[in-house]
Amino acid sequence: MKKIYACFCTDVIHEGHLNIIEQAKQYGEVIAGVLSDQAMIKYNRFPIVSFEERKRMLEEIPGISEVVVQKEVMYEETLKKLKPDYVIHGDNWKSGPMEVIRNNVIETLKEWGGELIEIPYTYNERVSNIEVLMKEKAAMPEYRRKRLRLLLKLCPIVKTIEVHSGLTGLIAEKTIVANDGEIDQFDAMWLSSLCDSTVKGKPDIELVDMSSRLRTVDDILEVTTKPIILDGDTGGLIEHFVYNVRTLERMGVSAVIIEDKTGLKKNSLFGTEVEQTQDTIEGFCAKIKAGKKAQRTEDFMIIARIESLILEKGMKDALARAIAYTEAGADGIMIHSRRKEPTEIFEFCDRFREINKDTPIVVVPTSYNQVTEEELYNHGINIVIYANQLTRSAFPAMQQTATDILKYHRAKEVDERLMPIKEILTLIDEL
Ligand code: SPV
Ligand code: MG
């Protein structure tokens, strides 16, 4: 009896999957792979059905003789163990980032003369309705809110990109690349105060108020499913912060990061070039405690951001604050630096990890951008935020276009670098 392998990366089995199984049966004994949670995330499909349920769902399908766990997006390891005669898959992975997975399958099968069978992918209204429905479910507050805590358990490092609009939210949601034979994508979104203010043409001094920030959050929530970490600036008055915690939680935001500054807040990257006042440890702990008391779910996270290194108050002060803030109930610590090298960040993380193994650490490598995710992971860092790169890449492109239209008195010269009209019209999915 020949062996045929099919791997499933899905929360629901629809007629397209059943068709694959039906066709597979004609070749021999069908072994189904269920993708692990970690691999689902890499594939840009955050599981909303538990791994056990997904496995059971496949086990119950008549015609599947065995269900095995595929731990990696790449089939190689599983295939080498099973040595199937055939792998069967829909033909929708022939182009785009998924092509690297296909190539990996073809190369691996060659080792024992196995074959890849591709069948036409089932595109119809029923199948696409199911996919839309699953996406809508994933966007619901009760699913989205807890997703950051889940990611912290599943990912070595949670990769977070700045967003400031529905469109940038879509970029964070949909960008997926094949790199060095691996698939990669962003895990979460950062709603930066700097960028949210900048796109509104305002300075980053808490002038864009929470009502306006929440409008931006809502625009992003409407078109995405990935978790949101909100830059909550100083958190404002304790009396206001507690209301905002409830609102954010209700909307489905996963975390707010508040920084230990008080009075008129300026952007951290100014450092000591401008006047900025750090809150007292007691004052900031009171804010954290009040926020934690106000929240209604276990999912929501309040992350305390330490500005001691930015304000040149020293490592000892930064560590003392980290300890105090976690004791006050903070669910994570963000340590910020404007140095060109990551040395002080590494020192802080290493020393903090000696006394605290579990509290998530967040960093924002804007000035020390040569640092790699792997290095950050090796120093015990759990979340990396690319805090402003989308805004900063869009602005020069727009400025150049405006300059050139003025220069040439027409738009022809800029056209080559623009997104084709057809692409922009089809960029946004319609219901
Ligand atoms: C932001 O993105 O608004 C931040 C990070 O708070 S930083 O700009 O580096 O202060
Ligand atoms: Mg900010």
Side-chain angles (χ1 to χ4, degrees), residues 162-223:
E162 170 256 317
V163 296
H164 55 261
S165 60
L167 188 64
T168 48
L170 282 178
I171 291 172
E173 183 80 12
K174 294 189 174 182
T175 307
I176 171 158
V177 297
N179 218 355
D180 298 332
E182 279 289 341
I183 293 284
D184 237 327
Q185 50 94 49
F186 289 105
D187 302 301
M189 300 179 282
W190 164 246
L191 222 144
S192 148
S193 69
L194 171 66
C195 299
D196 203 4
S197 306
T198 303
V199 294
K200 289 177 173 64
K202 300 259 172 76
D204 181 18
I205 53 171
E206 295 187 280
L207 175 64
V208 177
D209 67 8
M210 194 48 92
S211 303
S212 170
R213 303 287 311 281
L214 293 178
R215 244 327 308 145
T216 314
V217 171
D218 200 45
D219 285 343
I220 296 159
L221 287 172
E222 283 216 45
V223 294

Side-chain angles (χ1 to χ4, degrees), residues 46-238:
F46 193 87
I48 53 170
V49 169
S50 76
F51 170 77
E52 290 73 25
E53 277 174 87
R54 294 201 308 278
K55 186 160 178 273
R56 207 172 321 121
M57 192 169 73
L58 287 169
E59 282 164 351
E60 281 166 8
I61 297 173
I64 291 182
S65 66
E66 191 190 343
V67 178
V68 298
V69 183
Q70 185 176 316
K71 288 201 190 121
E72 304 285 342
V73 173
M74 295 300 161
Y75 285 45
E76 194 173 339
E77 201 188 305
T78 310
L79 291 187
K80 281 186 172 163
K81 267 191 220 140
L82 292 174
K83 296 218 168 28
D85 301 285
Y86 306 103
V87 166
I88 188 162
H89 198 280
D91 61 0
N92 56 325
W93 65 349
K94 284 188 174 166
S95 60
M98 302 305 166
E99 200 185 343
V100 293
I101 308 177
R102 179 177 185 261
N103 294 341
N104 175 266
V105 169
I106 294 172
E107 281 309 305
T108 312
L109 284 172
K110 268 187 197 160
E111 286 181 27
W112 56 90
E115 248 178 77
L116 172 65
I117 297 165
E118 288 171 311
I119 60 167
Y121 187 80
T122 311
Y123 288 107
N124 68 32
E125 213 181 316
R126 288 184 303 275
V127 168
S128 66
N129 279 348
I130 290 174
E131 277 167 10
V132 168
L133 222 95
M134 294 316 280
K135 232 173 116 187
E136 279 172 0
K137 208 167 166 187
M140 288 295 160
E142 62 273 27
Y143 284 102
R144 190 195 307 245
R145 198 171 42 225
K146 64 181 173 211
R147 196 161 147 171
L148 185 63
R149 283 199 190 269
L150 290 170
L151 284 166
L152 282 164
K153 285 195 199 127
L154 294 169
C155 301
I157 190 156
V158 176
K159 297 188 292 283
T160 307
I161 182 87
E162 170 256 317
V163 296
H164 55 261
S165 60
L167 188 64
T168 48
L170 282 178
I171 291 172
E173 183 80 12
K174 294 189 174 182
T175 307
I176 171 158
V177 297
N179 218 355
D180 298 332
E182 279 289 341
I183 293 284
D184 237 327
Q185 50 94 49
F186 289 105
D187 302 301
M189 300 179 282
W190 164 246
L191 222 144
S192 148
S193 69
L194 171 66
C195 299
D196 203 4
S197 306
T198 303
V199 294
K200 289 177 173 64
K202 300 259 172 76
D204 181 18
I205 53 171
E206 295 187 280
L207 175 64
V208 177
D209 67 8
M210 194 48 92
S211 303
S212 170
R213 303 287 311 281
L214 293 178
R215 244 327 308 145
T216 314
V217 171
D218 200 45
D219 285 343
I220 296 159
L221 287 172
E222 283 216 45
V223 294
T224 61
T225 63
K226 292 186 180 183
I228 292 183
I229 304 173
L230 177 82
D231 174 359
D233 286 318
T234 65
L237 295 173
I238 292 185

Side-chain angles (χ1 to χ4, degrees), residues 190 192-195 204 231 259 267-269 305 336 364 366 387:
W190 164 246
S192 148
S193 69
L194 171 66
C195 299
D204 181 18
D231 174 359
E259 60 193 276
N267 186 273
S268 300
L269 301 174
R305 165 170 167 178
H336 205 13
V364 177
T366 301

